Amino acid sequence: MNTFGKNLTLTTFGESHGPAMGGVIDGFPAGFRIDFDKLYEEVAKRRPGSSALVTARNEKDFPEFLSGINPDGITLGTPIGFIVRNVDHRSGDYDEMALLYRPNHADYAYDQRYGIRDPRGGGRSSARETVNWVVAGALASQWLESQGVTIQAELSQVGDIVDDDVFSDVMREGTHSPILKVSEEKKREMHDLIKKVKKDGDSVGGRVSCLVTGLKPGIGGPVADKLHASLAQAMMSINAAKGFEYGIGFKAAASYGIEIADRFIAPEDPNGRILTSTNYSGGIQGGISNGMPVYFHVAFKPTPTVMRSLETVDKEGRSAILKPAGRHDPCVAVRAVFVVKAMAALVIADHMIAEK
Amino acid sequence: MNTFGKNLTLTTFGESHGPAMGGVIDGFPAGFRIDFDKLYEEVAKRRPGSSALVTARNEKDFPEFLSGINPDGITLGTPIGFIVRNVDHRSGDYDEMALLYRPNHADYAYDQRYGIRDPRGGGRSSARETVNWVVAGALASQWLESQGVTIQAELSQVGDIVDDDVFSDVMREGTHSPILKVSEEKKREMHDLIKKVKKDGDSVGGRVSCLVTGLKPGIGGPVADKLHASLAQAMMSINAAKGFEYGIGFKAAASYGIEIADRFIAPEDPNGRILTSTNYSGGIQGGISNGMPVYFHVAFKPTPTVMRSLETVDKEGRSAILKPAGRHDPCVAVRAVFVVKAMAALVIADHMIAEK
Amino acid sequence: MNTFGKNLTLTTFGESHGPAMGGVIDGFPAGFRIDFDKLYEEVAKRRPGSSALVTARNEKDFPEFLSGINPDGITLGTPIGFIVRNVDHRSGDYDEMALLYRPNHADYAYDQRYGIRDPRGGGRSSARETVNWVVAGALASQWLESQGVTIQAELSQVGDIVDDDVFSDVMREGTHSPILKVSEEKKREMHDLIKKVKKDGDSVGGRVSCLVTGLKPGIGGPVADKLHASLAQAMMSINAAKGFEYGIGFKAAASYGIEIADRFIAPEDPNGRILTSTNYSGGIQGGISNGMPVYFHVAFKPTPTVMRSLETVDKEGRSAILKPAGRHDPCVAVRAVFVVKAMAALVIADHMIAEK
Amino acid sequence: MNTFGKNLTLTTFGESHGPAMGGVIDGFPAGFRIDFDKLYEEVAKRRPGSSALVTARNEKDFPEFLSGINPDGITLGTPIGFIVRNVDHRSGDYDEMALLYRPNHADYAYDQRYGIRDPRGGGRSSARETVNWVVAGALASQWLESQGVTIQAELSQVGDIVDDDVFSDVMREGTHSPILKVSEEKKREMHDLIKKVKKDGDSVGGRVSCLVTGLKPGIGGPVADKLHASLAQAMMSINAAKGFEYGIGFKAAASYGIEIADRFIAPEDPNGRILTSTNYSGGIQGGISNGMPVYFHVAFKPTPTVMRSLETVDKEGRSAILKPAGRHDPCVAVRAVFVVKAMAALVIADHMIAEK
């Protein structure tokens, strides 16, 4: 229902315009010292209004931790409860939406599912929920770093501006600390496109690339809890996600077996780790990590809210026109970068804790 | 670990060359009459040796049902246990593999995870496991049909032969019984390519397209159990899967918001269902079905086993050459069609039972 | 870990002397109007200092609801998050306990489990946690009442003062609205004993009796989720619980089959419900309710904290004397009455929602 | 539904008179060598007809293992599937029961729950199901023994014949290898009583005592997964169980705090383990083991089937007389000894694996 994970779990709550968002993180390792400055910094990145490219809604997004951490900032092994208050939401902006079903939003589906919904800002279906994930993911990331695991995520496509070289580094044999890098030129072009789209009152889709390094071999599950299946489940849970691929991804369908066979390479040092000559597999074989970098893409649709009148229906099923209102990101993928990173951290930590 | 689903669960077991595969289906609705002839027919389609395009390994794959169904073939609401015996496996073919790590296989990852593995035919990591899923999926499909839900799956790409029109039917407003159709010409070309690849001792990737019709609105979960996230998790669990996309999928990244807004359409009949003018959303909004057809793609890599010597390492980490042996499908996507269909049935039924 | 239930779940957090207790209730039915006055009243009953018999620690225990309920007080079907702030806790009282292991407390076991613990007031192991359960149970109780199910709980034993007639009403055929009643004389005697024990600086055990009426037949699970097994699990989770019995309970061991056979009685009205002539079964057969009243006992040990010096050891394993400090209930069973009732409500609602 | 445990899970299936019972054990540690002779011996003890005191139904109860164990008898870490065929069941004995609701049986409750049931021998509600638990428990026991943990269980009461000294050994400070011992005289008296009851065509209740030794401190969960709550849940799942108590149990209600405070004792050897002077706590404090022996009682009602005509109703709700038929144990507690032991092993192993 509202719980992610099995060994490290995150149970969340919160409507976009209710009193608060929040969650409970259970299974977090005991005795780990949290770096709160770093954590707040990470959470701030996701925040609306954090750059010219995202909605101006101003939320402090300052999580209050209520349990599971002692006064010295050390985890107790008990559940970590936290809340993030909702502020500055101008719920008046959304009055009409209470009555009309917004195209490509969850309004109609929720009414069919529950018979009731909080129409203010999308209620539970709002991407506001992802603040919970980013808080929990930031904690998981700190623990992962203490275990030598690093997660990088970048925007690698907006509209028809695409950087397809972001993973070139992960294909080189033995590259254990590869960098996920988007060319500065592509970044500029993506930035310009988003600004143009915003000016037009339209929105645009995008793609986030993510790279996990430092993961030792043997992490994952064999059948129902394959590591990449857990990643797929988590990434597709992010608002507006439409596709997930890892390793060679959809190009696999057009590939040949001999061409993409990742040959195992004997370590020079007899105590060394076995590597592969290439990494089409994406660091996972049979659902379990093989020690090579893990990498994947997530595709996001354009923000469904646009500054244009759209035909729709009201709750009684009568034709209506939805007029533009509210303030929204022209490109959800920009902020999704931080959500992808957070969810990847939760999934990887969940599987690592399972193996302990 | 080895359990799929939450309300309708499938817990499986079995090594490829052990005594039997099998599983327990729990949560299946009581009082439903199983059509066994239809079920055996469905299971037979997945079987190796069922066409010229797949491996010749001859397995009867005849499931024996051990519980949960009374002598009249009616479900009792209690768990349905079943087994499928393993026969004709020529385990001698695999002797060398016990010592060498096969490229792109799970051998090395399993050894790192468990410290032990059954090397015969890949053991637990073999696609043989999917026979369990097809048995359970065939039961779920029958129940879904009694609820008006139909699932279609087809091979829509092999190598560079692609049929991109398979979902054209699902974009038309109000089309509730669309057909998933691959052109006969493309089918022939895919067939020819697979035969050529087999002759070359190589293997090739492919893509499976799946369409779910008749699903009423309101099925799915809002946050951690989004319907499409469950589908992604299930599809990525299938052996060799590398990517999942639903609705507009990866093309979403290159799309604009106004262009792909699925407008809601008022029903002519006041008691009629609300539809959308287009279906870029893929029948799911906010993780919950909206009553339009659900459709998605799954990409599969080429079979990792090829009839070519490959460099690799042995269990001691020393360089070695893996010589070709065994009999394998040149294109796993051919048989994956039936596995995709089965897993889709399990996921949809799981979510429908949750709403009951 | 910290989650109760399967279909209606309660995930909790909080250390006794941390910032707040709290929880997330997931799976609560949508569209139900909460009576907040009644809810606060129910929560207040559990509160320390609510009578002369319990500890004087003054906590307002006023839950703040953060989500899942709209401004009109109607549930949304989404998770209900809530917190209860911790106030007036005088953590100085507990300084010595950080270093010494209190007899019959969880201090030593926690240190062995986690390697760290919050020593202030017992941290996570404090009965303070049960405020979360009482909040959630009060919500569940309101919903149960709307479904015709009522839960009663009473203190029926303190030390050697025992009322063994509390369930006499539930054995009469067809009694669908029996009352759980403790004699006024026994109540007075129990009250006097507790006051005496408190004056002595000692503590005393007790027993809580609970009665569930109005439950329709067919609620429960057949094997791993038997209704009475879920009740046992929930009741034994309450701090200081040492025993659980339902129906005839431990007296079953000394009974004969013919003597305690609950004969089924044909309804006079052909549409009427089948009842039983007696109710030794306790309203549950094979793990599933049969429509007769459900009743059970829970035994509680004396509060482990007493106003007497006790030999113990410190964290380094050296002998030490624990001197009395803090303020505590002389008889935990007094307040456990409300916790038993809350947990019973959660379990019954969980099973009822599963059947829907 | 039909799954026990969280980290070590047992999912079972089977109707008493269907083709087979069976289950899937998931999460069992890899690399452990099974002693099959010992296992079959353990399973045989539970078998009907294994002594003069139990029903004569002759079942071989020979489990067939289908996966998860390699040809050398070593576990693979993958799920262990097994089946136990049902034989010699004379289903004709039960014809009348298909139409009549047997008093104190689950027939009526099942019909209310599922609308259908397998009437032959009680179907899924039969104690035949416990053969699955004994098979799984025997595997768990072997692993526990390799970890130094031993489980003993004995019949300590039949009717009014009670041995209340069985746990005297566990109260002595530092006793790490106590013995659970029922006096020979009481054994004889219990034996005689059961034979008399059988001759009378009646049945009698009983109590099983269980002792777990060698458990290191720190095993269990703090709130929702308390070790004793898991034990209670498992024990109350056993057919005919009516009560559970651990440590001082129901006597706690009549006890005083100073009297039953288990004082911690400093180890003589500084590296030694901290013990307690008494063990009223039953080896568990705050839901987590403290290293002292764990002990508990389970009460069982008399077998509901008796050789006497009983008034009841049929499926249409009309009065009827149930005539005696079939063969049954006069005292289910006799065979429950082995089920208690098996379930204790599963629970303890589940919690130990969680801590690993």
Side-chain angles (χ1 to χ4, degrees):
Chain A
M1 302 186 277
N2 293 276
T3 298
F4 290 98
K6 296 204 170 178
N7 299 282
L8 175 69
T9 60
L10 170 65
T11 301
T12 66
F13 61 84
E15 274 72 45
S16 169
H17 288 56
M21 312 305 293
V24 186
I25 303 160
D26 205 358
F28 200 91
F32 181 78
R33 185 182 296 271
I34 307 294
D35 181 335
F36 284 100
D37 289 340
K38 201 171 158 186
L39 185 142
Y40 296 138
E41 200 180 303
E42 190 73 20
V43 174
K45 286 179 192 163
R46 176 211 159 273
R47 202 170 55 198
S50 60
S51 93
L53 302 183
V54 299
T55 165
R57 178 171 153 165
N58 180 23
E59 291 164 349
K60 282 244 177 74
D61 282 354
F62 196 81
E64 182 188 4
F65 290 95
L66 302 172
S67 69
I69 302 170
N70 77 8
D72 299 325
I74 299 175
T75 57
L76 293 163
T78 56
I80 300 171
F82 66 88
I83 59 172
V84 184
R85 297 275 171 188
N86 291 324
V87 288
D88 181 32
H89 36 68
R90 302 197 200 169
S91 61
D93 286 359
Y94 294 89
D95 281 352
E96 187 180 41
M97 293 170 192
L99 302 168
L100 302 187
Y101 290 137
R102 294 170 298 161
N104 281 24
H105 275 97
D107 306 341
Y108 171 67
Y110 264 61
D111 264 0
Q112 291 292 317
R113 172 76 173 75
Y114 296 107
I116 187 173
R117 106 195 111 90
D118 184 350
R120 301 170 300 160
R124 184 81 184 128
S125 74
S126 165
R128 173 79 182 135
E129 157 71 11
T130 59
V131 72
N132 290 328
W133 311 357
V134 171
V135 170
L139 284 176
S141 283
Q142 291 194 12
W143 180 77
L144 286 176
E145 273 171 39
S146 77
Q147 306 288 312
V149 177
T150 303
I151 299 174
Q152 304 168 56
E154 293 285 349
L155 188 66
S156 63
Q157 178 180 359
V158 172
D160 54 0
I161 316 295
V162 190
D163 186 338
D164 264 335
D165 283 333
V166 288
F167 290 140
S168 55
D169 215 19
V170 305
M171 292 295 291
R172 286 185 219 127
E173 171 199 336
T175 305
H176 278 295
S177 309
I179 299 294
L180 176 62
K181 208 160 148 183
V182 178
S183 86
E184 291 304 316
E185 194 192 327
K186 294 287 182 187
K187 276 188 185 170
R188 250 191 322 272
E189 289 176 33
M190 291 190 280
H191 188 272
D192 291 346
L193 177 55
I194 294 170
K195 283 208 293 194
K196 182 186 170 303
V197 164
K198 190 175 187 178
K199 210 172 135 195
D200 294 349
D202 202 350
S203 62
V204 65
R207 190 186 70 181
V208 175
S209 302
C210 184
L211 172 60
V212 182
T213 58
L215 195 59
K216 62 173 193 169
I219 304 299
V223 169
D225 291 314
K226 289 185 162 123
L227 182 54
H228 58 271
S230 298
L231 285 169
Q233 203 273 342
M235 296 305 144
M236 295 307 288
S237 299
I238 303 174
N239 303 51
K242 301 301 286 186
F244 169 88
E245 58 178 3
Y246 85 106
I248 189 172
F250 270 88
K251 282 183 198 139
S255 301
Y256 293 86
I258 294 170
E259 167 197 14
I260 66 157
D262 295 327
R263 274 75 166 177
F264 286 109
I265 303 293
E268 291 185 22
D269 172 355
N271 297 322
R273 183 176 287 177
I274 291 172
L275 304 173
T276 58
S277 60
T278 48
N279 186 14
Y280 293 104
S281 294
I284 303 170
Q285 289 170 332
I288 299 171
S289 66
N290 68 357
M292 296 290 289
V294 171
Y295 61 98
F296 58 86
H297 285 305
V298 191
F300 292 90
K301 68 176 183 183
T303 319
T305 302
V306 287
M307 294 300 110
R308 205 67 63 86
S309 292
L310 293 173
E311 309 99 77
T312 189
V313 299
D314 64 15
K315 286 191 73 166
E316 272 68 45
R318 291 169 305 206
S319 291
I321 297 294
L322 180 79
K323 287 186 201 119
R327 295 146 298 159
H328 293 271
D329 295 342
C331 178
V332 287
V334 173
R335 287 166 63 194
V337 167
F338 307 103
V339 186
V340 164
K341 199 178 158 187
M343 292 307 273
L346 285 171
V347 168
I348 301 285
D350 185 26
H351 277 275
M352 283 179 64
I353 289 168
E355 309 314 298
K356 279 180 70 153
Chain B
M1 302 184 279
N2 293 275
T3 298
F4 291 99
K6 297 205 168 177
N7 299 282
L8 176 69
T9 60
L10 170 65
T11 301
T12 66
F13 61 84
E15 274 72 43
S16 170
H17 288 57
M21 312 305 293
V24 186
I25 302 161
D26 205 357
F28 199 91
F32 181 77
R33 184 182 297 271
I34 306 294
D35 181 336
F36 284 100
D37 289 340
K38 200 170 159 186
L39 185 142
Y40 296 138
E41 200 180 304
E42 191 73 20
V43 175
K45 287 179 191 163
R46 176 210 159 273
R47 201 170 57 197
S50 59
S51 93
L53 302 183
V54 298
T55 165
R57 176 170 153 165
N58 180 22
E59 291 163 349
K60 282 244 178 73
D61 281 355
F62 196 82
E64 183 189 2
F65 290 95
L66 302 171
S67 68
I69 302 170
N70 77 8
D72 299 324
I74 298 175
T75 58
L76 293 163
T78 57
I80 299 170
F82 66 88
I83 59 172
V84 184
R85 297 274 170 189
N86 291 323
V87 289
D88 181 32
H89 37 66
R90 302 195 200 171
S91 62
D93 286 359
Y94 294 89
D95 281 352
E96 187 180 41
M97 293 170 192
L99 302 169
L100 302 186
Y101 290 136
R102 294 170 298 162
N104 281 24
H105 275 96
D107 305 341
Y108 170 68
Y110 264 60
D111 265 0
Q112 291 292 318
R113 172 76 173 74
Y114 296 108
I116 186 173
R117 108 194 111 89
D118 184 350
R120 301 170 300 161
R124 184 82 184 127
S125 74
S126 165
R128 173 79 182 134
E129 156 71 11
T130 59
V131 72
N132 290 328
W133 310 357
V134 171
V135 169
L139 283 176
S141 284
Q142 291 194 11
W143 180 76
L144 285 177
E145 273 171 38
S146 77
Q147 306 288 312
V149 177
T150 303
I151 300 174
Q152 304 167 57
E154 293 285 349
L155 187 67
S156 62
Q157 178 180 0
V158 173
D160 54 0
I161 316 295
V162 190
D163 186 337
D164 265 336
D165 284 333
V166 288
F167 289 139
S168 54
D169 216 18
V170 305
M171 292 294 291
R172 285 187 217 124
E173 170 200 336
T175 305
H176 277 295
S177 310
I179 300 295
L180 176 62
K181 209 158 146 184
V182 178
S183 85
E184 290 305 315
E185 195 191 326
K186 293 288 183 187
K187 277 187 185 170
R188 250 190 322 272
E189 289 176 34
M190 291 191 280
H191 188 272
D192 290 347
L193 178 54
I194 294 170
K195 282 208 292 192
K196 183 186 170 303
V197 164
K198 190 175 189 178
K199 211 172 134 193
D200 293 349
D202 202 350
S203 62
V204 63
R207 190 187 68 182
V208 175
S209 302
C210 185
L211 172 61
V212 183
T213 58
L215 195 59
K216 60 173 195 169
I219 303 299
V223 169
D225 291 314
K226 288 186 162 120
L227 182 54
H228 58 271
S230 298
L231 285 169
Q233 203 273 342
M235 296 306 144
M236 295 307 288
S237 299
I238 303 174
N239 303 51
K242 302 300 289 185
F244 169 88
E245 58 177 4
Y246 85 106
I248 188 173
F250 270 88
K251 282 183 197 136
S255 302
Y256 293 87
I258 293 170
E259 166 198 15
I260 65 156
D262 295 326
R263 275 75 167 177
F264 285 108
I265 303 293
E268 291 185 21
D269 173 355
N271 297 319
R273 183 177 286 175
I274 292 171
L275 304 173
T276 58
S277 59
T278 49
N279 186 14
Y280 293 104
S281 295
I284 303 170
Q285 289 171 332
I288 299 171
S289 66
N290 68 357
M292 294 292 288
V294 171
Y295 61 99
F296 58 87
H297 285 306
V298 191
F300 292 91
K301 68 176 182 182
T303 319
T305 303
V306 288
M307 295 300 111
R308 206 66 65 85
S309 291
L310 295 173
E311 309 98 77
T312 188
V313 299
D314 65 14
K315 285 190 74 166
E316 272 68 46
R318 292 168 304 207
S319 291
I321 298 294
L322 180 79
K323 286 185 202 122
R327 294 147 298 159
H328 294 271
D329 295 342
C331 178
V332 287
V334 173
R335 285 166 64 194
V337 167
F338 307 103
V339 186
V340 165
K341 198 178 157 186
M343 292 307 274
L346 285 170
V347 168
I348 301 285
D350 185 25
H351 277 274
M352 283 178 64
I353 289 168
E355 309 315 298
K356 276 179 71 150
Chain C
M1 302 186 277
N2 292 276
T3 299
F4 291 99
K6 296 204 168 178
N7 299 282
L8 177 68
T9 61
L10 171 64
T11 301
T12 65
F13 61 84
E15 273 74 44
S16 170
H17 288 56
M21 312 306 292
V24 185
I25 303 160
D26 205 359
F28 199 90
F32 181 78
R33 184 182 298 269
I34 306 294
D35 181 336
F36 283 100
D37 288 341
K38 201 170 159 185
L39 186 143
Y40 296 138
E41 201 180 302
E42 191 73 21
V43 174
K45 287 179 191 163
R46 176 211 159 274
R47 202 171 56 198
S50 58
S51 94
L53 301 183
V54 299
T55 165
R57 178 172 152 163
N58 180 23
E59 292 163 349
K60 283 243 177 75
D61 281 354
F62 196 81
E64 181 189 3
F65 290 95
L66 302 171
S67 68
I69 302 170
N70 76 10
D72 298 325
I74 298 175
T75 57
L76 293 164
T78 56
I80 300 171
F82 66 88
I83 60 173
V84 185
R85 296 274 170 190
N86 291 323
V87 289
D88 182 32
H89 37 68
R90 301 196 202 171
S91 61
D93 285 359
Y94 293 90
D95 281 353
E96 187 181 41
M97 294 171 191
L99 302 168
L100 301 186
Y101 290 136
R102 294 170 298 162
N104 281 23
H105 276 95
D107 305 341
Y108 171 67
Y110 265 60
D111 265 359
Q112 290 293 317
R113 172 77 173 74
Y114 296 108
I116 186 172
R117 108 194 109 90
D118 183 351
R120 301 170 300 161
R124 184 80 186 128
S125 74
S126 165
R128 174 79 182 134
E129 157 71 10
T130 59
V131 72
N132 290 328
W133 311 356
V134 171
V135 170
L139 284 176
S141 284
Q142 290 194 11
W143 180 76
L144 285 176
E145 273 170 40
S146 77
Q147 306 288 311
V149 177
T150 303
I151 299 174
Q152 303 168 57
E154 292 285 350
L155 188 65
S156 62
Q157 179 180 358
V158 172
D160 54 0
I161 317 295
V162 190
D163 187 337
D164 265 335
D165 284 334
V166 288
F167 289 139
S168 55
D169 216 18
V170 306
M171 292 294 291
R172 285 186 219 125
E173 169 200 337
T175 305
H176 278 294
S177 309
I179 300 295
L180 175 61
K181 209 159 148 184
V182 178
S183 85
E184 291 304 315
E185 195 191 327
K186 294 287 182 189
K187 277 187 186 170
R188 252 191 321 272
E189 289 176 34
M190 292 190 279
H191 189 271
D192 290 347
L193 178 54
I194 294 170
K195 283 207 292 191
K196 182 185 171 303
V197 164
K198 190 176 187 177
K199 211 171 134 193
D200 293 349
D202 203 349
S203 62
V204 64
R207 190 187 68 180
V208 175
S209 303
C210 185
L211 171 61
V212 183
T213 57
L215 195 58
K216 61 174 194 170
I219 304 297
V223 169
D225 290 313
K226 286 184 164 125
L227 182 54
H228 58 269
S230 298
L231 285 169
Q233 203 273 343
M235 297 306 145
M236 296 305 289
S237 300
I238 302 174
N239 303 50
K242 301 301 287 187
F244 170 88
E245 58 178 2
Y246 84 106
I248 189 173
F250 270 88
K251 283 182 198 139
S255 303
Y256 293 85
I258 294 169
E259 165 197 16
I260 66 156
D262 295 326
R263 275 73 166 178
F264 286 108
I265 303 294
E268 293 186 21
D269 172 354
N271 297 320
R273 183 177 287 178
I274 292 171
L275 304 173
T276 60
S277 60
T278 48
N279 186 13
Y280 294 103
S281 294
I284 302 171
Q285 289 171 332
I288 299 171
S289 66
N290 68 356
M292 295 291 289
V294 171
Y295 61 99
F296 58 87
H297 285 306
V298 191
F300 293 90
K301 68 175 183 183
T303 319
T305 303
V306 288
M307 297 299 112
R308 207 66 64 85
S309 292
L310 294 173
E311 311 97 76
T312 189
V313 299
D314 64 14
K315 287 191 72 166
E316 272 68 46
R318 292 168 304 206
S319 292
I321 297 295
L322 181 79
K323 287 186 201 119
R327 295 146 297 161
H328 294 270
D329 296 343
C331 178
V332 286
V334 173
R335 285 166 64 194
V337 167
F338 306 103
V339 186
V340 165
K341 197 177 159 187
M343 291 308 273
L346 286 171
V347 168
I348 302 285
D350 185 25
H351 277 274
M352 283 179 64
I353 288 168
E355 310 314 299
K356 276 178 70 153
Chain D
M1 302 184 278
N2 292 277
T3 298
F4 290 98
K6 297 205 169 178
N7 299 282
L8 176 68
T9 61
L10 170 64
T11 301
T12 65
F13 61 84
E15 273 73 44
S16 170
H17 287 57
M21 311 306 292
V24 186
I25 303 160
D26 205 358
F28 199 90
F32 181 76
R33 185 182 297 270
I34 307 294
D35 181 336
F36 284 100
D37 288 340
K38 200 170 160 186
L39 185 142
Y40 296 138
E41 201 180 301
E42 191 73 21
V43 175
K45 287 179 190 161
R46 176 212 159 272
R47 202 171 55 197
S50 59
S51 95
L53 301 183
V54 299
T55 166
R57 177 172 153 164
N58 180 22
E59 293 163 349
K60 283 243 177 74
D61 281 355
F62 196 81
E64 182 189 3
F65 290 95
L66 301 172
S67 68
I69 302 170
N70 76 10
D72 299 325
I74 298 175
T75 57
L76 292 164
T78 56
I80 299 171
F82 66 89
I83 60 172
V84 184
R85 296 274 171 190
N86 291 323
V87 288
D88 181 33
H89 38 68
R90 301 196 201 171
S91 62
D93 286 0
Y94 293 90
D95 281 353
E96 187 181 40
M97 293 170 191
L99 302 168
L100 301 187
Y101 290 136
R102 294 169 298 162
N104 281 23
H105 275 95
D107 305 341
Y108 170 68
Y110 264 61
D111 265 0
Q112 291 291 319
R113 173 75 172 76
Y114 296 108
I116 187 173
R117 104 195 114 91
D118 183 351
R120 301 170 300 160
R124 183 83 185 124
S125 75
S126 166
R128 174 79 182 135
E129 157 71 12
T130 59
V131 72
N132 290 328
W133 311 357
V134 171
V135 169
L139 283 176
S141 284
Q142 290 194 12
W143 180 77
L144 285 176
E145 273 170 40
S146 77
Q147 306 288 311
V149 177
T150 303
I151 299 174
Q152 303 167 58
E154 292 286 350
L155 189 65
S156 62
Q157 179 179 358
V158 172
D160 55 0
I161 317 294
V162 190
D163 186 338
D164 264 336
D165 283 334
V166 289
F167 290 138
S168 55
D169 216 18
V170 306
M171 292 294 291
R172 287 187 217 124
E173 170 200 336
T175 305
H176 277 295
S177 309
I179 300 294
L180 175 62
K181 209 159 147 184
V182 178
S183 85
E184 291 304 317
E185 194 192 327
K186 294 287 183 189
K187 277 187 187 172
R188 248 190 324 272
E189 290 176 34
M190 291 190 279
H191 189 272
D192 291 347
L193 178 54
I194 294 170
K195 282 209 291 192
K196 183 186 169 302
V197 164
K198 191 176 186 176
K199 211 171 133 194
D200 294 349
D202 202 350
S203 62
V204 65
R207 190 187 67 181
V208 176
S209 302
C210 185
L211 172 60
V212 183
T213 57
L215 195 59
K216 61 173 196 170
I219 304 298
V223 169
D225 290 313
K226 288 186 163 121
L227 182 55
H228 58 271
S230 298
L231 285 169
Q233 202 273 342
M235 296 306 145
M236 295 306 289
S237 300
I238 302 175
N239 303 50
K242 302 301 289 186
F244 170 87
E245 58 178 3
Y246 85 106
I248 189 173
F250 270 88
K251 282 182 200 139
S255 302
Y256 294 85
I258 294 168
E259 164 197 17
I260 66 157
D262 295 326
R263 275 75 166 176
F264 286 108
I265 302 293
E268 292 187 20
D269 173 355
N271 297 319
R273 184 177 286 177
I274 292 170
L275 304 173
T276 59
S277 60
T278 49
N279 186 14
Y280 294 104
S281 295
I284 302 171
Q285 288 170 332
I288 299 171
S289 66
N290 68 358
M292 295 291 288
V294 171
Y295 61 99
F296 58 87
H297 284 306
V298 191
F300 292 91
K301 67 176 183 183
T303 319
T305 303
V306 287
M307 296 299 112
R308 206 66 63 86
S309 291
L310 294 174
E311 311 97 76
T312 189
V313 300
D314 64 14
K315 286 190 73 166
E316 271 68 45
R318 293 168 304 207
S319 291
I321 298 294
L322 180 79
K323 287 186 202 120
R327 296 146 299 160
H328 293 271
D329 296 343
C331 178
V332 286
V334 173
R335 287 165 64 193
V337 167
F338 307 104
V339 186
V340 165
K341 199 178 159 188
M343 291 309 273
L346 285 171
V347 168
I348 303 285
D350 184 26
H351 277 274
M352 284 178 64
I353 288 169
E355 311 314 298
K356 278 179 69 155

